[in-house]
Amino acid sequence: MKGSRPICLLCHHRLVTSGALRSSQRQSHSVLSSTTTAAHRQSEQRARWFGTKRKALFCKVPEKGDSAGIDALFDQVVHHQTATQDALPNTSPANPNLELTLVQAIGKLEHMVRKGGSLIDSYAFLKTDVYPMLEAPDITIPRVFYMTVSTLLEKLVAAKKKAIRSDTLPTVADIFRVYVDIGEMIPRRWAILVGELVKSILEMEPSTKEQHLDAADGKDSVRDAMLSDLVESWKVLSLPRDMPVAPDDEVTDDFCFPRANPAWLKRFSDKGNFPAALSTFFPQYPPFQLGAPVAVLAIATYALLIDTQRSSPIVRLSAARFIAKMEYLITFVRYPDTNLRSEVSHYFPFLESYIMDWWPIIKKQLKHRFESTDVPTTRTQPREPSSSTNSGGINKGSIGERLQRAYVTTRNYGDVDRLWGEFLGSTTGNIHPDRIAELRNESYLFDSFIHARMATNQPNKAIEALRVMRQVGLRPTVKTWNSMLDGCKKSRNVNAIKNVWAKIAGSGMELDMRIWTTRVSALVESGDVEGGLQALQEMMKLWQKSSKDERIKAVKPTIEPVNAALVGLTRQNHTVVAESLLDWARRHGLQPDVFTFNTLLRLFVRHKRDTDVRRLFATMKRSKVDADEATFTIVLDEAFSTILPEDTERQANMVMRVVEHMQAAGLEVNLQTYGKMIYNLLRMGDGAVKAVKAVLAHILAQGLELSPHIYTMIVEHYFARQPPDLEAVGALLKRHRLLDREDMDATFYDRVVRGYAEAGRPASALDIYWRLSAAGLPVILSTQLELLTALFRDGAVDDATRLVANTKRMFEESHRAADSVDDAGFWGHPFWSFAERHSLYERNGSGAASGAATTPTATASAKSGSP
């Protein structure tokens, strides 16, 4: 290439940016600006570098020699930058030197590809030299980049097809990762190369025995590497179109399958259309782009993964979610044998023998598993939403759920008042006779309101609920009084606990062990330790008297109220009292259970009493008390506290060993246990990523979905990084389509909105806020205050004004009654003080907040893109 021309271009660039040539360039500004704007619209779907949007300059590739082609690219970039400067005089180019360096690198890559250079060197240059520059914000990507990379990929696909086992060429998954990055992922092209990969795996001789964790020698290791490539290729195919593959240090790099739609699957099953059913797990592609070829490869991949002579446990673990989804489809969607055989022989004849040999085995195994499970639908079929409205018209499920949210999550007592009026069908106290008949069937909801009133320290309103309960013909039961006592416990109101118990004792009703347990727990948890212990003694004396006097009604004491007292005592570090209580229990013949041991174990672990821990386990063994999930969780807490954060191998091994011990003890590891593991690992920082992935793999291997609580922990982990890892947050949201799922809870959304606001990305936070608002999901005011502050700090006053107006509108629309609208707990929040102080809201309703609060189609701030 010529050496002088690039130097002249750099000098030309300096003259342009200094303004010397700006007048001559200005004439062409309108043409360049319109061309670039159109190109930007076309290229937004293609340029997806690590979650950030970038400008793209579509330019015609000159039909000249190499040097002339690069010169022309330089010239177009310089002209583009000049035009941009003229259009936006207050905006400086992001990094003109970097853009020129990028063009030069692309020119070198184009030369390597076009001149038939080493494909391995070309690919390495793309990944190590070009890709890092594409990570810069607002970088200009010439169109020739996409054309050059596309040509390189075509050559790599052809070479890989000829040498599928080559360990010097990129893997199949790596090749198609780049296709995803440039927006040219085509499932049929993917299927051709993946078919060759499957064929090559099958051509290798299977192991003579089942593979185990340590079986990774010779041909087994080669086959495992190829199977891993196959699994990763499916992960790439599952990626949404608008996101890249997660980096290696991300917590979640699993398959991006959406939740199954039972109605669609039933329709496809009735028609025996398995390929169409499979396509619903890849909604980013039209169904015709996948079709039978991808369906056949899915069956082949599943067969290989469950073939223990061809795949290892490690590979199967990495494909856990794929296996679970395939088992779901094969179990509930018909794939007629004739259709499968026809499609295999047509598209992949070399797979026919293997697939058709395994097909009856697969169906038999899944049928047996489905029929033998006690509750088959809990693992395989999504639950249908049950109607929450009973025949009487009271929306029982909705009122109960909203009541729980009102007094537990949002602490909005005005909502509790409004729900009480909705429940009664009247806000005046005059209940219609028809409604009274309906209310007689809702003793559970009466108990719930009584509990809520006592929990929020509103005893007068709890008494009112009791009065209405009697008015409609219901009598308080032991459950009702237990709800009231538990509410007193929540509010830590010792006097209320004693007063309620006095009424219970004077009622003459027969008490059960549950209400005794609640009383003891309430007293101890509220700080009246002596009162709690006296209640235990009273319970025991009453039982002893009843054995001598049959007129005295008493329930036989159990270990349950002792356990309740122990929890409160250990929480308050009353160690000596706790141990004395256990001695008292033993003297009175109350034998400890696993809950008792777990409570003590937690205490001993917390205080590093290793000798007592060993003694406790020995006592459990002698008492024939088996450990449960909580026992292992406590042990795991201690184990993680002794492992260095950088010792990822030991972390992963610890997770697997604890899970194996739990399963050996006959325990099913549930999401709560897994969540505890993940919580402990994430506390150790990024060094625990490998171990977290191991836990997630175990979850998916059980055919379970990650819970909203687990997703919340992961997103909090990303936001807690320094600096906050916003790319990882965006990838998590897109990868698992978390903003489109109906089962995500308010806590998750709150953490995402708050996290973006605190990280200086109010535009992203606001975008999610509007999506939640459109769905009728409120964001708590403390989080909205963070967002409002961030918007105001960034000068997005219009956005801040719309936010305040919309929050006011949503509250007033859902709180029609005047006493709710005037609720001091809502209007007294600092959110409104901030809005009023900055003229975004006026208390008399005539300020900014009284304006329209329609959801904007686009936020005013463009400082950060939506996730």
Side-chain angles (χ1 to χ4, degrees):
M1 296 195 302
K2 298 178 182 179
S4 60
R5 184 60 175 162
I7 297 176
C8 293
L9 280 171
L10 290 175
C11 294
H12 178 265
H13 173 67
R14 293 192 187 98
L15 289 171
V16 170
T17 54
S18 67
L21 298 181
R22 193 165 293 174
S23 60
S24 64
Q25 300 289 352
R26 195 165 288 149
Q27 296 175 356
S28 61
H29 167 258
S30 60
V31 176
L32 282 168
S33 178
S34 62
T35 302
T36 304
T37 302
H40 174 69
R41 286 196 299 268
Q42 297 175 45
S43 66
E44 269 194 340
Q45 293 182 346
R46 306 178 76 186
R48 304 184 188 91
W49 301 104
F50 303 97
T52 59
K53 296 181 180 178
R54 292 172 171 78
K55 299 175 290 181
L57 179 62
F58 276 38
C59 48
K60 183 178 180 180
V61 183
E63 301 294 334
K64 300 180 182 180
D66 298 329
S67 179
I70 295 174
D71 290 348
L73 288 177
F74 270 105
D75 196 44
Q76 290 193 40
V77 171
V78 170
H79 278 69
H80 168 68
Q81 292 167 345
T82 306
T84 303
Q85 286 179 347
D86 289 336
L88 302 170
N90 295 325
T91 304
S92 59
N95 191 339
N97 292 331
L98 179 61
E99 292 188 345
L100 296 176
T101 305
L102 173 63
V103 172
Q104 191 174 31
I106 293 171
K108 180 178 179 180
L109 177 64
E110 183 196 17
H111 175 73
M112 295 171 71
V113 173
R114 193 143 49 89
K115 292 301 181 181
S118 166
L119 292 176
I120 298 171
D121 292 344
S122 299
Y123 177 81
F125 182 77
L126 169 69
K127 298 294 286 186
T128 59
D129 289 54
V130 180
Y131 260 51
M133 286 185 276
L134 300 175
E135 296 181 44
D138 300 317
I139 196 73
T140 300
I141 305 175
R143 183 180 180 183
V144 68
F145 167 78
Y146 299 102
M147 300 173 66
T148 301
V149 173
S150 183
T151 302
L152 171 61
L153 293 175
E154 289 175 5
K155 293 185 176 183
L156 282 171
V157 167
K160 190 68 176 178
K161 189 174 181 181
K162 293 180 180 178
I164 196 73
R165 298 185 190 180
S166 170
D167 58 359
T168 56
L169 287 170
T171 64
V172 174
D174 285 340
I175 292 172
F176 284 98
R177 279 192 181 105
V178 181
Y179 268 124
V180 170
D181 288 342
I182 66 173
E184 294 186 8
M185 182 65 171
I186 300 174
R188 292 297 178 100
R189 177 166 53 197
W190 173 92
I192 293 172
L193 193 55
V194 169
E196 291 297 322
L197 180 60
V198 173
K199 176 185 176 183
S200 182
I201 293 171
L202 287 175
E203 288 173 347
M204 301 180 70
E205 287 294 325
S207 300
T208 56
K209 58 182 179 180
E210 180 178 339
Q211 288 195 55
H212 297 283
L213 285 171
D214 56 350
D217 298 327
K219 65 182 181 184
D220 287 345
S221 62
V222 174
R223 181 171 49 235
D224 277 357
M226 295 175 70
L227 276 167
S228 295
D229 189 13
L230 178 60
V231 171
E232 292 301 314
S233 296
W234 280 101
K235 288 183 181 179
V236 173
L237 183 66
S238 74
L239 284 173
R241 284 183 177 272
D242 58 347
M243 69 164 292
V245 178
D248 290 339
D249 64 343
E250 292 311 305
V251 171
T252 56
D253 63 352
D254 198 58
F255 298 90
C256 299
F257 294 135
R259 292 205 162 208
N261 186 319
W264 286 6
L265 294 182
K266 185 178 186 306
R267 184 179 65 191
F268 293 133
S269 180
D270 292 342
K271 297 179 180 179
N273 195 342
F274 186 90
L278 178 68
S279 70
T280 63
F281 289 130
F282 303 90
Q284 63 273 38
Y285 304 108
F288 68 85
Q289 288 192 7
L290 290 93
V294 175
V296 169
L297 289 174
I299 298 292
T301 303
Y302 176 76
L304 280 170
L305 290 170
I306 66 171
D307 186 345
T308 56
Q309 292 185 335
R310 295 184 186 271
S311 68
S312 69
I314 296 297
V315 174
R316 287 195 291 275
L317 195 60
S318 69
R321 197 157 189 237
F322 175 86
I323 292 172
K325 290 294 184 184
M326 288 301 299
E327 289 176 349
Y328 179 101
L329 282 180
I330 296 170
T331 301
F332 294 105
V333 179
R334 288 190 312 111
Y335 200 166
D337 295 4
T338 53
N339 291 13
L340 177 60
R341 184 180 295 277
S342 173
E343 287 160 353
V344 174
S345 61
H346 179 72
Y347 292 104
F348 304 102
F350 47 84
L351 300 181
E352 182 176 359
S353 175
Y354 183 76
I355 290 178
M356 298 314 298
D357 285 348
W358 266 94
W359 185 237
I361 300 172
I362 290 171
K363 291 194 297 181
K364 183 178 179 181
Q365 287 179 348
L366 293 180
K367 181 181 179 182
H368 175 72
R369 187 181 308 171
F370 176 74
E371 292 176 347
S372 63
T373 185
D374 291 333
V375 189
T377 56
T378 57
R379 280 181 46 127
T380 52
Q381 287 183 313
R383 290 176 297 175
E384 293 289 342
S386 58
S387 173
S388 58
T389 305
N390 63 14
S391 58
I394 296 177
N395 198 332
K396 182 188 304 184
S398 175
I399 291 177
E401 181 181 334
R402 286 182 289 155
L403 177 62
Q404 177 78 4
R405 185 167 63 243
Y407 82 90
V408 174
T409 306
T410 64
R411 310 294 291 179
N412 191 327
Y413 306 150
D415 267 357
V416 179
D417 292 338
R418 184 179 59 80
L419 287 168
W420 175 246
E422 179 183 333
F423 174 55
L424 299 183
S426 169
T427 57
T428 63
N430 297 321
I431 308 173
H432 193 276
D434 291 343
R435 190 67 164 188
I436 290 177
E438 296 169 11
L439 291 171
R440 290 194 187 104
N441 299 316
E442 305 300 344
S443 59
Y444 171 78
L445 279 179
F446 274 109
D447 293 349
S448 297
F449 275 105
I450 291 169
H451 180 270
R453 295 304 194 183
M454 296 305 295
T456 54
N457 219 3
Q458 297 177 305
N460 290 336
K461 291 187 176 181
I463 293 171
E464 170 65 13
L466 276 173
R467 185 192 66 77
V468 175
M469 191 177 185
R470 291 189 176 99
Q471 177 186 337
V472 302
L474 292 173
R475 298 189 62 181
T477 64
V478 176
K479 288 184 179 179
T480 306
W481 293 111
N482 193 65
S483 296
M484 183 173 278
L485 267 181
D486 193 63
C488 297
K489 170 185 169 181
K490 294 290 192 300
S491 62
R492 299 291 192 267
N493 191 333
V494 175
N495 288 332
I497 295 169
K498 293 180 178 180
N499 290 336
V500 170
W501 186 258
K503 289 183 177 295
I504 294 172
S507 68
M509 71 172 62
E510 188 170 340
L511 307 182
D512 59 16
M513 189 50 56
R514 182 178 180 186
I515 200 167
W516 277 105
T517 301
T518 303
R519 179 196 180 193
V520 170
S521 175
L523 288 168
V524 175
E525 293 279 1
S526 300
D528 187 3
V529 173
E530 184 178 352
L533 297 178
Q534 287 176 351
L536 281 171
Q537 293 175 336
E538 179 186 337
M539 176 190 67
M540 183 60 69
K541 288 178 180 178
L542 197 62
W543 169 249
Q544 291 170 343
K545 287 181 179 179
S546 69
S547 63
K548 300 176 181 178
D549 187 348
E550 61 183 15
R551 291 173 300 177
I552 298 176
K553 302 295 182 182
V555 62
K556 183 179 180 179
T558 68
I559 197 66
E560 289 178 4
V562 176
N563 287 341
L566 275 177
V567 170
L569 292 172
T570 56
R571 194 171 289 163
Q572 299 171 49
N573 288 321
H574 293 307
T575 307
V576 176
V577 179
E579 293 178 346
S580 298
L581 175 60
L582 274 180
D583 290 337
W584 176 87
R586 289 191 188 96
R587 290 198 305 271
H588 288 84
L590 302 179
Q591 297 302 318
D593 59 10
V594 67
F595 189 92
T596 317
F597 286 118
N598 286 342
T599 305
L600 290 174
L601 180 63
R602 188 175 288 107
L603 176 68
F604 294 158
V605 167
R606 185 192 307 159
H607 293 289
K608 308 295 182 184
R609 293 167 56 175
D610 296 339
T611 303
D612 288 330
V613 169
R614 287 191 292 271
R615 179 174 54 81
L616 186 70
F617 279 125
T619 304
M620 287 179 68
K621 187 173 182 179
R622 286 196 307 271
S623 304
K624 297 183 179 180
V625 175
D626 295 327
D628 65 0
E629 291 88 347
T631 312
F632 286 99
T633 301
I634 296 165
V635 173
L636 200 61
D637 279 341
E638 175 63 16
F640 284 150
S641 69
T642 62
I643 301 176
L644 294 175
E646 60 271 16
D647 194 350
T648 58
E649 195 69 32
R650 191 177 169 202
Q651 294 165 16
N653 290 337
M654 175 60 67
V655 170
M656 297 186 73
R657 189 160 65 249
V658 169
V659 170
E660 287 171 358
H661 286 323
M662 293 179 71
Q663 291 171 339
L667 302 173
E668 181 180 354
V669 187
N670 56 32
L671 281 176
Q672 184 178 3
T673 311
Y674 283 125
K676 186 68 174 178
M677 294 179 183
I678 292 170
Y679 172 77
N680 280 282
L681 287 168
L682 290 178
R683 285 195 307 175
M684 302 171 73
D686 285 334
V689 166
K690 184 176 179 180
V692 172
K693 287 183 177 181
V695 177
L696 296 178
H698 275 288
I699 296 174
L700 299 171
Q702 305 302 314
L704 302 171
E705 295 282 351
L706 301 187
S707 66
H709 178 58
I710 291 175
Y711 280 123
T712 301
M713 288 190 292
I714 294 173
V715 81
E716 286 179 333
H717 167 72
Y718 289 151
F719 278 124
R721 285 175 173 171
Q722 293 299 325
D725 195 341
L726 304 183
E727 293 168 359
V729 174
L732 179 73
L733 296 178
K734 290 177 180 177
R735 177 181 295 276
H736 299 285
R737 301 172 176 86
L738 297 183
L739 297 179
D740 300 321
R741 285 176 51 168
E742 296 180 354
D743 62 333
M744 298 307 291
D745 59 16
T747 303
F748 173 80
Y749 293 129
D750 172 75
R751 296 299 187 271
V752 174
V753 174
R754 181 185 293 271
Y756 272 122
E758 292 178 343
R761 287 280 293 274
S764 296
L766 189 63
D767 178 65
I768 296 173
Y769 167 84
W770 285 119
R771 294 179 67 169
L772 297 175
S773 175
L777 299 173
V779 177
I780 63 175
L781 283 181
S782 59
T783 296
Q784 289 196 55
L785 178 58
E786 292 289 344
L787 175 54
L788 187 63
T789 304
L791 289 169
F792 198 82
R793 186 171 55 242
D794 275 23
V797 179
D798 290 343
D799 285 337
T801 302
R802 283 194 291 269
L803 170 68
V804 173
N806 187 66
T807 300
K808 179 176 181 290
R809 176 190 62 79
M810 288 185 69
F811 182 79
E812 290 179 341
E813 287 182 357
S814 60
H815 297 72
R816 295 297 185 187
D819 58 341
S820 295
V821 175
D822 294 334
D823 178 55
F826 181 81
W827 297 110
H829 194 278
F831 173 89
W832 299 109
S833 301
F834 182 93
E836 190 175 19
R837 188 165 61 251
H838 294 285
S839 303
L840 304 173
Y841 163 76
E842 292 183 6
R843 297 265 175 194
N844 58 15
S846 61
S850 63
T854 55
T855 302
T857 55
T859 58
S861 175
K863 295 183 179 180
S864 56
S866 300

